[in-house]
Amino acid sequence: MTGSIDHESAVAPVPILDSLAEEVVSHNKTAAATATATTATAATTAEEAAAPGRVVACAIDSSENAKAAFDWCLANLFATPGSQINDQLVLINCRPFQNNPVDYTISGDYSSSLSMSREWVEALEANARAAAHDLLKAFAAEAMDKANVHRVRAIALRGDPREEITLKVEELRPDLLVVGSRGMGTVKRLFLGSVSDHLMHHVSCPVTVIKMK
């Protein structure tokens, strides 16, 4: 599987404040099948591929809630008789900005502290980026292998998940967005806010929130 960068801003050393979107996976089984099929089969496959399919976006992270949403998505939207080979699953992950642990001490070498902080943030960002990409690739592989999803895209974002996922979903314009519920209490939801609640009120497509049993 090969991925292409959808958009990448220049990464400033300190602080890292830019928004970032990278397409980690872009796989189309239908296109591969068409290229190797016989003439008769290829014509049928091409006709099926030309038919418009559903686009389903699913927000994921490393939590059990996100895995529950992903599993529900595969079981109810793709592994069903009504699913089409041209249906597309778009996986979206948003990782937070990495903090800048500068030691603002009165004594000592400030430039040295800043340099160490820059290296620390860059290392944190590299690790977080690699972990996000590995997560997306693992989910994409499971979708293709276990649910036989033909078309999969996986997009890595960075920043506030409420804002970044909203912007990306509005750009993608899927037929449905599936997200997991964090199950926060009323007080915690009031002060911290909920990603699923925010998406339900700010994206234009239908949103399905999956709660763990």
Side-chain angles (χ1 to χ4, degrees):
M1 291 182 289
T2 59
S4 58
I5 294 178
D6 179 56
H7 169 75
E8 183 172 7
S9 304
V11 179
V14 178
I16 296 176
L17 296 174
D18 59 303
S19 177
L20 184 69
E22 295 175 303
E23 186 158 335
V24 181
V25 175
S26 181
H27 186 80
N28 188 344
K29 283 186 180 180
T30 303
T34 303
T36 57
T38 60
T39 304
T41 305
T44 302
T45 306
E47 182 178 354
E48 291 174 340
R54 299 172 301 173
V55 177
V56 178
C58 182
I60 63 167
D61 55 29
S62 58
S63 69
E64 293 182 357
N65 306 76
K67 185 60 166 64
F70 172 77
D71 290 341
W72 182 93
C73 189
L74 295 187
N76 292 275
L77 301 177
F78 288 91
T80 59
S83 60
Q84 306 176 31
I85 62 172
N86 210 32
D87 289 346
Q88 183 180 73
L89 174 63
V90 182
L91 301 170
I92 303 174
N93 171 263
C94 185
R95 64 187 186 275
F97 291 122
Q98 301 304 310
N99 294 326
N100 177 21
V102 177
D103 182 14
Y104 292 103
T105 56
I106 297 177
S107 60
D109 186 355
Y110 175 79
S111 61
S112 177
S113 297
L114 185 61
S115 176
M116 291 177 62
S117 175
R118 179 182 296 111
E119 294 174 359
W120 179 259
V121 172
E122 289 176 347
L124 287 175
E125 167 56 24
N127 290 335
R129 179 176 180 270
H133 286 205
D134 289 343
L135 180 74
L136 285 165
K137 290 176 182 177
F139 272 81
E142 182 175 345
M144 290 183 288
D145 295 339
K146 294 185 178 181
N148 198 33
V149 179
H150 286 76
R151 302 181 65 193
V152 180
R153 291 179 65 189
I155 301 173
L157 306 174
R158 182 175 62 184
D160 185 331
R162 293 168 297 186
E163 297 178 0
E164 296 299 328
I165 295 176
T166 296
L167 290 173
K168 180 54 67 173
V169 169
E170 289 302 283
E171 176 188 326
L172 295 170
R173 303 184 67 82
D175 297 289
L176 177 68
L177 171 64
V178 180
V179 297
S181 172
R182 286 292 188 185
M184 295 188 297
T186 304
V187 176
K188 189 174 182 180
R189 187 184 299 111
L190 177 64
F191 284 99
L192 297 181
S194 164
V195 174
S196 58
D197 286 346
H198 181 89
L199 293 172
M200 288 179 64
H201 290 91
H202 290 84
V203 299
S204 56
C205 70
V207 179
T208 297
V209 180
I210 305 302
K211 295 183 178 180
M212 292 187 63
K213 296 181 180 179

